[in-house]
Amino acid sequence: MEIQDLAKAIDEVWLVLAAVLVMFMQAGFALVEAGFTRAKNAGNIIMKNVMDFSIGGVVYWAIGFGLAYGGTNVGGLFGWGDGFFFSDVTRSSEWLFQAVFAATSATIVSGAIAGRTKFKAYLLITPFITGIIYPVVSHWVWAEGGWLANLGFVDFAGSGVVHMLGGVAALAGIIVVGPRIGKFAADGTPQPIPGHSLTFGALGVLILWFGWFGFNAGSTLGAVGADIATPAMTTLLGGGAGAIAAMFGSWKLLGHPDVGFTLNGILAGLVGITAGANSLPFGVALFVGAVAALIMIGAVRLLERLRLDDPVGAVAVHGAAGMWGVLAVGIFNPDVALSAQVIGIVAIVGWTFATSMAVFRLADRLIGVRVTESEELSGLDLSEHSIDVYPEFTFHAK
Amino acid sequence: MEIQDLAKAIDEVWLVLAAVLVMFMQAGFALVEAGFTRAKNAGNIIMKNVMDFSIGGVVYWAIGFGLAYGGTNVGGLFGWGDGFFFSDVTRSSEWLFQAVFAATSATIVSGAIAGRTKFKAYLLITPFITGIIYPVVSHWVWAEGGWLANLGFVDFAGSGVVHMLGGVAALAGIIVVGPRIGKFAADGTPQPIPGHSLTFGALGVLILWFGWFGFNAGSTLGAVGADIATPAMTTLLGGGAGAIAAMFGSWKLLGHPDVGFTLNGILAGLVGITAGANSLPFGVALFVGAVAALIMIGAVRLLERLRLDDPVGAVAVHGAAGMWGVLAVGIFNPDVALSAQVIGIVAIVGWTFATSMAVFRLADRLIGVRVTESEELSGLDLSEHSIDVYPEFTFHAK
Amino acid sequence: MEIQDLAKAIDEVWLVLAAVLVMFMQAGFALVEAGFTRAKNAGNIIMKNVMDFSIGGVVYWAIGFGLAYGGTNVGGLFGWGDGFFFSDVTRSSEWLFQAVFAATSATIVSGAIAGRTKFKAYLLITPFITGIIYPVVSHWVWAEGGWLANLGFVDFAGSGVVHMLGGVAALAGIIVVGPRIGKFAADGTPQPIPGHSLTFGALGVLILWFGWFGFNAGSTLGAVGADIATPAMTTLLGGGAGAIAAMFGSWKLLGHPDVGFTLNGILAGLVGITAGANSLPFGVALFVGAVAALIMIGAVRLLERLRLDDPVGAVAVHGAAGMWGVLAVGIFNPDVALSAQVIGIVAIVGWTFATSMAVFRLADRLIGVRVTESEELSGLDLSEHSIDVYPEFTFHAK
């Protein structure tokens, strides 16, 4: 038994368990999205969440990992060579950790387009995110020789690579799919469509926070010689600061401490701290998390003014707060150039928006992305899955 | 500080955390079983789940571990000597990991017999599984000198030892207990009795998937010199392939992508890959998971044709897919003889079915396993526990 | 790479993951408290839980850690010097583990005062617990040179320091806040106010049990040279024994195996075993867990006789069973003096009750702790947060 064998075992234990925590975030996303939307669509949301993870795993195995981390680096733009139809068991832990990240970026989209999108269309769209859109960006930033990495762009655990990317893809989705029936009055005034179970939503947020410790602290990619506790600590502080800021922000704005905004404030704080989780001082982490939550609130209202309907706030939480997280590293980490961060944001947003729009429009042309009006009104659970998720309970209206 | 101390610490961290993940599967089982059945029985299901784990822990401490891994091997059939009323703190991690496995095998039964079984009868039955039926089989396969181990039978993490065993015990249970009132029309046509909350069911499945990483990857029993990431990776792929196969399978069969079958497809895929999680190539893992899900769908329909009522599909998910998982190792792992796998299946099924039938019949003779018709119709929560789990909500019928 | 680096990495992996498990207990508390109380207050409970954790984290960063573990020990009473506005990244894992403990002690209070307490008052009260009341006690017992530590008081993972403290603070709270409207008839007979979802409650209990493995086994504070598996094993046995004792106890008392008491029995068993999780033999752990559950049942009934209203049983579960856990170490561990345990109990109860009463009374004078009668009747979700957590479901009465 050599000391190197022990070091490898420690790093493997850490990376595998961190990946398992990130995998569990799928349950968090499913509950947040189901809880924050109508009961008549809960089964459809569950299906989209389990299928984007399941399909995402297979697609990342076949294509994604090779594009991201294949041995041959094609001009800093993507990987090639080995890595497709992944079979190198000496890199299993690496694959595992990257695969659950890819699935996270994809699942962000499902909530934004909830309640009116054809299930078939979603099945067609999601593999592009896990198979191509996300792997390419992760190569730019995290692969050796990636062009953004070479430029000095820094995104420790993926405020930009995972969350902003997911949020921008979600934005493309809600533009193409359009708002839910009844979300905007004729004059454009947004109408509340409250979620069917904030208890499920809150549980989802707490599961996400739990899993985020694996997401951020696991991004050390190993434990020996690394500081795994500091990013865990900023993950606690960033989420907490987001909750506090969103609670007081919503209180000022709406006259009461709002449950939905506070829960999304936690998520925005977490998204915001992700890029600098390992490098920002604790006081700065608090500030970054708090600002992320306020930006999220602003973005929610901006989207509504633009008549864009995002039922769960995915664009605001992941897109806007993610962008802030990337910028914050440029602002507060003296070793990082703000210009590199801005270039990275422009590149990731540009690539993701263009490719996502293309994929959504393709799906729209091939099979249509939108269900019919009557299907939407009766709910996707009935129209797409012939199911009533709560068949015994009575409802005011469903 | 010696290098051996470090190796021990690494292995302990891994095994304890893997065991804790497996323990959390109890929450997954409770939610799957409660969500997939009627609201009027949810409290009873919760009680059965927490009690089989609680009683199971005590029984495994007093009897089970000794029968499974006691120092004296009695003819390869069971352990003896030390291990009863376990007190050897140098083996605490080993006990912990084995105990949560024993509890998993027991809890599989509770869902299958939901909605019509006397609570007292269940309390009498469950200790036999964790105390005798399961420990003996685990000795055959996993103890040094176990007769099936000597024969070359291979079941890495328990497709057969845990899941098939649990599924077969569940089969014995539903034969003795009989179908729920209203499950079959006079001409034998099965009637749907939809679960009261697929959201809870879905959360349960995702919790099970999360815990399964501990179940499979933890079965290395240590991290130093082991490959813990590969079984974690096949766990992701096997479950994902099960979801995909079940979704398309149900779509073809029923005309829609079915939520219940897809969720059970994940579980079947996980059960299927468990025996070969460490040894099957990734492409094969995908195939094994997918086939497991299709076998599960077939088994569900076969049971209905046989007028056997399994409200949550436990026999199909754990029994049928577990058998397939054991066979798959014999088919796809060139180092394993298919004949040994078949002998193992026959032995485990035979032992488990015979002993489980005996225990259920014993319980039936002593106290009766079935509640009265009026108790069943009013629900076990009311008749057995004087409780209404959702006292504020209104129901169509309860 | 030196052997010391590996040892450090192993200890960090263990402590960070244990802390993450403890953090997840916040989800468990939220669900137990929401599920065990009325639907009309679920959003308020969620808010209290996420805010006490979020504010608690910030306050523990600014003040708490310094008072508990600052480098200068002021007479064994509290810490000082460094540690305030924590910035020492070499101690991040230590901070993280202690911070989630502090948040646990605070969150115990929220359930006891559910359904009638002003949200603003709660926001004012909770930072005192995480910032002062708890840190001082943890210094006494766990800091080097703490006066109770010097006295020989032993509380391995916090039956007293965390749970009894939280339970006593909760007792102060329910005395000041008073019972919910309708909890006691004019003649003092307690009236049942059943929780709105025992399924959520049960999930919460299982999440707490899951997290408790981090709470107890992580209290080794490292893995190298430590036995982390034995406290995990007693955690399994203690909770299980609590379930069994509470089930049979309630059966005898009420004529049926009661779901609520059984679930709280698990928690009481866990609270009870926490102080001696590393030192009590397994058979004794079973006994301690079982007695803890019976004490909890007795305490629930005693409180009702005293016309004290604790909707979730926090005072009984954490306060009474916590006290028993501390005593049990004095009784069953021959290396610990019972007198030291008694002195510790008196000191912790005295300090906590006095300071908590002061804080609750201060809040009452400043802003009032109690909502108006009409606000209470309409529910805190509506009156405090303008929200309906389940807007689609119909209710008998809400």
Side-chain angles (χ1 to χ4, degrees):
Chain A
M1 197 163 48
E2 300 292 324
I3 203 166
Q4 281 78 4
D5 300 328
L6 297 194
K8 182 170 175 300
I10 297 166
D11 286 342
E12 291 276 296
V13 166
W14 175 241
L15 200 57
V16 167
L17 288 170
V20 170
L21 284 170
V22 178
M23 175 267 153
F24 195 45
M25 292 172 71
Q26 294 291 324
F29 279 108
L31 291 181
V32 166
E33 296 175 16
F36 279 16
T37 55
R38 304 279 310 267
K40 66 183 176 182
N41 298 316
N44 178 257
I45 283 173
I46 289 162
M47 282 297 278
K48 288 197 293 187
N49 275 278
V50 302
M51 291 317 303
D52 62 37
F53 183 70
S54 297
I55 294 174
V58 177
V59 168
Y60 199 76
W61 168 76
I63 301 170
F65 188 82
L67 276 183
Y69 302 104
T72 310
N73 182 339
V74 182
L77 295 173
F78 55 88
W80 204 256
D82 60 342
F84 299 109
F85 300 94
F86 182 86
S87 62
D88 179 0
V89 292
T90 66
R91 298 178 74 188
S92 292
S93 64
E94 188 186 347
W95 185 91
L96 190 72
F97 194 73
Q98 302 301 342
V100 291
F101 267 57
T104 303
S105 74
T107 208
I108 290 168
V109 177
S110 60
I113 58 173
R116 73 277 203 198
T117 309
K118 266 191 197 161
F119 184 62
K120 263 190 192 168
Y122 187 74
L123 291 183
L124 196 134
I125 291 157
T126 186
F128 283 93
I129 302 175
T130 34
I132 297 173
I133 300 174
Y134 170 80
V136 165
V137 171
S138 68
H139 180 88
W140 295 353
V141 179
W142 291 333
E144 211 185 304
W147 77 271
L148 278 174
N150 286 345
L151 209 75
F153 178 80
V154 170
D155 183 0
F156 174 60
S159 289
V161 176
V162 179
H163 294 280
M164 185 176 68
L165 184 151
V168 169
L171 176 64
I174 63 176
I175 290 172
V176 175
V177 175
R180 287 168 294 173
I181 297 169
K183 177 61 196 172
F184 296 103
D187 67 352
T189 324
Q191 308 296 314
I193 304 181
H196 84 283
S197 172
L198 267 182
T199 316
F200 274 133
L203 174 58
V205 168
L206 289 168
I207 288 175
L208 284 168
W209 202 345
F210 173 59
W212 224 292
F213 287 95
F215 198 92
N216 283 356
S219 288
T220 54
L221 303 179
V224 178
D227 176 2
I228 61 173
T230 294
M233 194 177 150
T234 55
T235 301
L236 191 155
L237 293 174
I244 295 169
M247 183 193 70
F248 284 114
S250 67
W251 211 331
K252 188 160 177 60
L253 198 69
L254 306 171
H256 65 262
D258 191 71
V259 184
F261 270 132
T262 302
L263 293 173
N264 265 341
I266 293 171
L267 299 184
L270 291 166
V271 167
I273 198 57
T274 293
N278 66 329
S279 65
L280 299 179
F282 299 123
V284 175
L286 288 168
F287 177 77
V288 169
V291 171
L294 299 178
I295 287 174
M296 177 273 298
I297 293 178
V300 163
R301 294 173 74 89
L302 176 65
L303 285 171
E304 287 189 335
R305 214 162 288 174
L306 297 171
R307 301 202 190 185
L308 290 169
D309 177 20
D310 179 356
V312 301
V315 176
V317 165
H318 299 277
M323 191 183 293
W324 160 246
V326 172
L327 284 174
V329 174
I331 297 168
F332 296 109
N333 183 339
D335 300 337
V336 177
L338 184 56
S339 59
Q341 301 301 93
V342 172
I343 292 170
I345 288 172
V346 172
I348 295 171
V349 170
W351 158 262
T352 304
F353 192 73
T355 51
S356 300
M357 282 300 282
V359 169
F360 269 96
R361 291 216 187 279
L362 174 75
D364 202 24
R365 196 157 304 171
L366 289 179
I367 44 180
V369 293
R370 183 99 190 198
V371 297
T372 67
E373 190 178 323
S374 76
E375 286 171 340
E376 184 175 340
L377 292 175
S378 63
L380 301 189
D381 288 3
L382 187 65
S383 62
E384 298 269 29
H385 308 287
S386 294
I387 200 170
D388 183 345
V389 164
Y390 305 108
E392 298 185 59
F393 294 87
T394 54
F395 287 83
H396 295 301
K398 203 165 171 179
Chain B
M1 198 164 45
E2 300 291 323
I3 202 164
Q4 281 78 2
D5 300 327
L6 297 194
K8 182 171 174 301
I10 297 166
D11 286 343
E12 292 276 295
V13 167
W14 175 240
L15 200 58
V16 168
L17 288 170
V20 170
L21 284 170
V22 177
M23 174 268 153
F24 195 45
M25 291 172 72
Q26 294 290 326
F29 279 108
L31 291 181
V32 165
E33 296 175 15
F36 280 17
T37 56
R38 304 279 310 266
K40 66 183 177 184
N41 297 317
N44 179 256
I45 282 174
I46 289 162
M47 283 296 279
K48 289 197 294 187
N49 274 277
V50 302
M51 292 316 304
D52 62 37
F53 184 70
S54 297
I55 295 174
V58 177
V59 169
Y60 199 75
W61 168 77
I63 301 170
F65 188 83
L67 276 183
Y69 302 104
T72 310
N73 182 338
V74 183
L77 295 174
F78 54 88
W80 205 256
D82 60 342
F84 298 110
F85 300 93
F86 182 84
S87 62
D88 179 0
V89 293
T90 67
R91 297 178 75 189
S92 292
S93 63
E94 188 186 347
W95 184 91
L96 189 73
F97 194 73
Q98 302 301 341
V100 291
F101 267 57
T104 303
S105 74
T107 208
I108 289 167
V109 176
S110 60
I113 59 174
R116 73 275 203 198
T117 308
K118 267 192 198 161
F119 183 63
K120 263 189 193 170
Y122 187 74
L123 291 183
L124 196 134
I125 291 157
T126 186
F128 283 94
I129 301 175
T130 33
I132 298 173
I133 301 175
Y134 170 80
V136 166
V137 170
S138 69
H139 179 88
W140 296 352
V141 179
W142 290 333
E144 213 184 304
W147 76 272
L148 277 174
N150 286 344
L151 210 76
F153 178 81
V154 170
D155 183 359
F156 174 60
S159 290
V161 176
V162 180
H163 294 281
M164 186 175 68
L165 184 150
V168 169
L171 177 64
I174 64 177
I175 289 171
V176 174
V177 176
R180 287 168 293 174
I181 298 168
K183 177 61 196 172
F184 296 104
D187 66 353
T189 324
Q191 307 297 314
I193 304 180
H196 83 283
S197 172
L198 267 182
T199 315
F200 274 133
L203 175 57
V205 167
L206 288 169
I207 289 175
L208 284 168
W209 202 344
F210 173 59
W212 224 293
F213 288 95
F215 199 93
N216 284 355
S219 289
T220 54
L221 303 180
V224 178
D227 177 2
I228 62 173
T230 294
M233 194 175 151
T234 54
T235 301
L236 191 155
L237 294 174
I244 295 168
M247 182 192 71
F248 285 115
S250 67
W251 211 330
K252 190 161 177 59
L253 199 68
L254 307 171
H256 64 263
D258 191 72
V259 184
F261 269 134
T262 302
L263 293 174
N264 264 342
I266 293 171
L267 299 183
L270 291 167
V271 168
I273 199 57
T274 292
N278 67 331
S279 66
L280 298 179
F282 300 123
V284 174
L286 288 168
F287 178 78
V288 168
V291 171
L294 299 179
I295 287 173
M296 177 274 297
I297 293 178
V300 164
R301 294 173 74 89
L302 176 65
L303 285 171
E304 288 189 335
R305 215 164 285 173
L306 297 171
R307 299 201 192 187
L308 290 169
D309 177 19
D310 179 357
V312 301
V315 176
V317 165
H318 300 277
M323 189 182 294
W324 160 246
V326 173
L327 283 175
V329 174
I331 296 168
F332 296 109
N333 184 340
D335 300 336
V336 177
L338 184 55
S339 59
Q341 301 300 93
V342 172
I343 293 170
I345 288 172
V346 171
I348 295 171
V349 170
W351 158 261
T352 305
F353 191 74
T355 51
S356 300
M357 282 299 282
V359 169
F360 270 97
R361 291 216 187 279
L362 174 75
D364 202 25
R365 194 157 306 172
L366 289 179
I367 44 180
V369 294
R370 181 98 188 198
V371 299
T372 68
E373 189 177 324
S374 76
E375 287 170 340
E376 183 175 341
L377 292 175
S378 64
L380 301 190
D381 288 2
L382 187 65
S383 62
E384 297 269 29
H385 309 287
S386 294
I387 200 171
D388 183 345
V389 165
Y390 306 107
E392 298 184 59
F393 294 87
T394 55
F395 287 82
H396 294 302
K398 204 166 172 179
Chain C
M1 198 163 46
E2 299 291 322
I3 203 166
Q4 280 78 1
D5 300 327
L6 296 194
K8 182 170 175 301
I10 297 166
D11 286 343
E12 292 276 295
V13 166
W14 174 240
L15 200 57
V16 168
L17 288 170
V20 170
L21 285 170
V22 177
M23 174 268 152
F24 196 45
M25 292 172 71
Q26 294 290 326
F29 280 108
L31 291 181
V32 166
E33 296 174 16
F36 280 16
T37 56
R38 305 278 310 269
K40 67 184 177 183
N41 298 317
N44 180 258
I45 283 173
I46 288 163
M47 282 298 277
K48 289 197 292 187
N49 274 276
V50 301
M51 290 318 302
D52 63 37
F53 184 70
S54 297
I55 294 173
V58 177
V59 169
Y60 199 75
W61 168 76
I63 301 169
F65 188 82
L67 276 182
Y69 301 104
T72 310
N73 182 338
V74 182
L77 296 173
F78 54 89
W80 204 256
D82 59 342
F84 299 109
F85 300 93
F86 182 86
S87 62
D88 180 0
V89 293
T90 67
R91 298 177 73 189
S92 293
S93 63
E94 188 186 345
W95 184 92
L96 189 72
F97 194 73
Q98 303 300 342
V100 291
F101 267 57
T104 303
S105 74
T107 208
I108 290 167
V109 176
S110 60
I113 58 173
R116 72 277 202 196
T117 308
K118 268 192 198 160
F119 184 63
K120 263 189 193 170
Y122 187 73
L123 292 184
L124 197 133
I125 291 156
T126 186
F128 284 93
I129 302 175
T130 34
I132 298 173
I133 301 174
Y134 170 79
V136 166
V137 172
S138 69
H139 179 88
W140 296 352
V141 180
W142 291 332
E144 212 184 304
W147 76 271
L148 278 175
N150 286 343
L151 209 76
F153 178 80
V154 170
D155 183 359
F156 174 60
S159 289
V161 176
V162 180
H163 293 281
M164 186 176 68
L165 184 150
V168 169
L171 177 64
I174 64 177
I175 290 172
V176 175
V177 176
R180 287 167 294 172
I181 297 168
K183 178 60 197 173
F184 295 104
D187 66 352
T189 325
Q191 308 297 314
I193 305 181
H196 83 282
S197 171
L198 267 182
T199 314
F200 274 133
L203 175 57
V205 168
L206 289 168
I207 289 175
L208 284 168
W209 203 344
F210 173 59
W212 224 293
F213 287 95
F215 199 92
N216 284 355
S219 289
T220 53
L221 303 180
V224 178
D227 177 2
I228 61 173
T230 294
M233 195 176 150
T234 55
T235 301
L236 191 155
L237 293 173
I244 295 168
M247 182 192 71
F248 284 114
S250 67
W251 211 330
K252 189 160 176 60
L253 198 69
L254 307 171
H256 64 262
D258 190 72
V259 184
F261 270 133
T262 302
L263 293 173
N264 265 342
I266 293 172
L267 299 184
L270 291 167
V271 168
I273 198 57
T274 292
N278 67 329
S279 65
L280 298 179
F282 299 122
V284 175
L286 288 168
F287 178 77
V288 169
V291 171
L294 299 178
I295 287 174
M296 178 273 299
I297 293 178
V300 164
R301 294 173 74 89
L302 176 65
L303 285 170
E304 288 188 336
R305 214 163 287 173
L306 297 170
R307 300 201 192 186
L308 291 169
D309 177 19
D310 179 358
V312 301
V315 176
V317 165
H318 299 278
M323 191 183 294
W324 159 245
V326 173
L327 283 175
V329 174
I331 297 168
F332 296 109
N333 184 341
D335 300 337
V336 176
L338 184 55
S339 60
Q341 302 299 95
V342 172
I343 292 171
I345 287 173
V346 171
I348 295 171
V349 170
W351 158 261
T352 304
F353 191 74
T355 51
S356 301
M357 282 300 281
V359 169
F360 269 97
R361 291 216 186 280
L362 175 74
D364 202 24
R365 194 157 308 172
L366 288 180
I367 43 180
V369 294
R370 182 99 188 197
V371 298
T372 68
E373 190 177 324
S374 76
E375 287 171 339
E376 184 175 341
L377 292 175
S378 63
L380 301 189
D381 288 3
L382 187 65
S383 63
E384 298 268 29
H385 308 286
S386 294
I387 201 170
D388 183 346
V389 164
Y390 306 107
E392 298 185 58
F393 295 88
T394 54
F395 287 82
H396 295 301
K398 204 167 171 179

